[in-house]
Amino acid sequence: MTDVAVIMGSESDRAIANRTTSILDESKYTYDVQVISAHRNPDTLDEYIAGSSAKVFIAIAGLSAALPGVIASKTKKPVIGVPVSAKMMGLDALLSIAQMPPGVPVASVGIDNGANAAHLAIRILDLHERR
């Protein structure tokens, strides 16, 4: 059973994922890392989300940053978006993640801040565990 699913939209996001997993490594929580594009691999993404035992999803994406919103549209579990500074210094990705439609909530951390995404996931899991 996996506590956190870390999904990158592209292999080019690996450095940010590594910052995320380095924080998770210091915790008691397990994680799984995948590279699945919402645009290039939508069926693979659907299958992964449906089959995942993760309690929290961290989605790392730049440009249109559709990945966090797509994940949030397919699960009731918490989704944390990490905008990547691929273009426009990451502002495009940040705004995309922050502007989800009603009923599709995505938490967002700062641009390229995979570490804070991990810290937020740990806080969510700690609260879940206390129940």
Side-chain angles (χ1 to χ4, degrees), residues 44-61:
T44 303
L45 183 61
D46 288 351
E47 290 169 16
Y48 180 77
I49 294 166
S52 177
S53 63
K55 297 174 188 136
V56 178
F57 288 88
I58 296 176
I60 303 168

Side-chain angles (χ1 to χ4, degrees), residues 5-68:
V6 179
I7 306 172
M8 300 171 271
S10 169
E11 187 60 45
S12 64
D13 303 328
R14 180 67 65 180
I16 296 166
N18 288 345
R19 289 193 285 270
T20 305
T21 59
S22 70
I23 298 299
L24 293 172
D25 284 338
E26 297 171 8
S27 77
K28 61 185 174 187
Y29 297 111
T30 60
Y31 61 87
D32 179 51
V33 179
Q34 298 288 321
V35 179
I36 309 172
S37 168
H39 294 108
R40 292 184 295 271
N41 315 104
D43 295 336
T44 303
L45 183 61
D46 288 351
E47 290 169 16
Y48 180 77
I49 294 166
S52 177
S53 63
K55 297 174 188 136
V56 178
F57 288 88
I58 296 176
I60 303 168
L63 303 173
S64 69
L67 183 61

Side-chain angles (χ1 to χ4, degrees), residues 65-124:
L67 183 61
V70 170
I71 294 170
S73 76
K74 298 180 181 299
T75 184
K76 298 291 185 191
K77 298 172 183 177
V79 178
I80 303 166
V82 182
V84 176
S85 60
K87 302 282 182 183
M88 298 178 63
M89 298 183 296
L91 187 58
D92 52 343
L94 176 64
L95 292 174
S96 177
I97 292 169
Q99 296 298 320
M100 289 294 111
V104 187
V106 174
S108 181
V109 295
I111 297 167
D112 295 336
N113 202 337
N116 260 4
H119 287 297
L120 181 54
I122 290 166
R123 287 183 180 195
I124 291 168

